[in-house]
Amino acid sequence: MKDIKELKDIKKRREILKEKYFKDSIYCVTAEDFSNGRNNIEVVKSMLEAGIKIVQYREKDNPSKYMREKYEECLKIRELTKEYDALFIIDDYADLAMAVEADGVHIGQKDMPIEAVRKIIGYDMIIGLSTTNKTQANEAVNTSADYIGIGPIFSTNTKPDANEAVGIDYLDYVVKNINVPFVCIGGIKLNNMDILIEHKAMSLCMLTEIVSSEDIKSKCELLIKKMKRL
């Protein structure tokens, strides 16, 4: 991350992030409700031990967890991700991301506009932006988004307000037309990731496939090998 601290040239920021973190990567997201009784710290540690280089903390849909608890969790995850030289992204909460000195924040189309978020966090941190169609992807190119999420590629029930699946066609469009680091999201599993790799997906985001696994470290190692064609 030190390579892009205060770097305002968005094209260079994107190039650095693509080569160092997003190219052929597995993008992990926390989800304690699906983690079979394990807490987020345990889960993230297993991910990092396997070689995962991007971790997103997402607990906004958990009404039983107060912000103080989220803050304390994120402080511990921040320490772990620094130790393993991994990106630490926080979903939605720019204030929480700044408070724990995370590497960035991920926002959606209904959240605060991306340039408003950029005013808050500056250029020390990265911003990811969810997109669900060609128009949103093209608009993102002309913003200060460091990377975009595309999807949901397949249907998913892990996010209450998830959009309808957009399918492989949207991935094909992004690969051919959008020069921004991207991660495919939504319903991605071990048994359907091959087709996304064949269609040149840059990075794949998985949630329940990883956090619900009996052995998270082994599952992540397998997914990384498949993604890197090893």
Side-chain angles (χ1 to χ4, degrees):
M1 267 295 293
K2 62 183 180 181
D3 296 338
I4 65 170
K5 291 282 187 181
E6 289 299 323
L7 179 62
K8 294 184 179 181
D9 186 325
I10 194 63
K11 289 184 179 180
K12 288 184 179 178
R13 289 171 67 91
R14 290 168 176 172
E15 288 171 9
I16 292 168
L17 287 169
K18 175 185 175 182
E19 292 303 317
K20 188 170 182 180
Y21 296 105
F22 281 83
K23 188 176 180 181
D24 299 332
S25 72
I26 299 296
Y27 182 121
C28 290
V29 179
T30 65
E32 208 162 73
D33 287 347
F34 298 95
S35 297
N36 298 327
R38 294 166 293 196
N39 63 48
N40 285 326
I41 310 302
E42 295 176 79
V43 168
V44 169
K45 194 169 192 305
S46 295
M47 292 171 176
L48 295 170
E49 287 175 345
I52 292 297
K53 290 299 179 184
I54 310 176
V55 175
Q56 182 190 120
Y57 179 84
R58 194 175 88 187
E59 288 292 332
K60 66 176 182 177
D61 298 321
N62 188 343
S64 64
K65 188 169 288 190
Y66 292 103
M67 184 58 77
R68 179 63 176 264
E69 188 178 354
K70 294 176 183 178
Y71 169 74
E72 291 174 350
E73 275 189 335
C74 285
L75 281 177
K76 293 175 182 176
I77 294 173
R78 171 71 288 188
E79 291 177 7
L80 286 170
T81 51
K82 276 188 175 180
E83 180 183 345
Y84 286 87
D85 191 26
L87 284 183
F88 180 34
I89 310 297
I90 293 180
D91 188 46
D92 269 9
Y93 301 122
D95 54 348
L96 179 58
M98 292 180 71
V100 302
E101 298 183 2
D103 294 307
V105 62
H106 188 94
I107 60 175
Q109 293 291 322
K110 297 178 182 178
D111 294 320
M112 190 182 297
I114 186 169
E115 301 310 335
V117 176
R118 181 63 76 189
K119 286 181 181 179
I120 295 171
I121 68 173
Y123 283 86
D124 270 356
M125 296 169 64
I126 66 176
I127 302 178
L129 177 66
S130 295
T131 68
T132 62
N133 57 56
K134 299 175 184 178
T135 299
Q136 291 175 357
N138 280 297
E139 289 174 348
V141 173
N142 298 315
T143 70
S144 64
D146 292 291
Y147 75 92
I148 60 173
I150 67 167
I153 301 296
F154 306 117
S155 60
T156 175
N157 59 5
T158 58
K159 194 174 180 182
D161 58 348
N163 291 285
E164 292 185 9
V166 297
I168 302 296
D169 287 347
Y170 183 37
L171 167 59
D172 289 339
Y173 178 84
V174 171
V175 168
K176 293 176 183 177
N177 299 282
I178 306 297
N179 189 24
V180 176
F182 70 90
V183 54
C184 298
I185 62 174
I188 301 172
K189 310 285 184 182
L190 176 63
N191 63 12
N192 63 21
M193 66 185 289
D194 284 345
I195 189 170
L196 303 182
I197 293 172
E198 290 172 10
H199 284 255
K200 301 182 180 179
M202 186 179 297
S203 177
L204 300 181
C205 176
M206 298 189 191
L207 200 153
T208 55
E209 182 70 5
I210 292 174
V211 302
S212 297
S213 298
E214 183 176 339
D215 187 333
I216 291 174
K217 182 181 177 183
S218 294
K219 175 58 72 70
C220 287
E221 289 172 340
L222 173 60
L223 295 171
I224 291 170
K225 286 180 180 179
K226 283 182 70 70
M227 194 65 193
K228 292 184 178 295
R229 291 82 162 170
L230 297 177

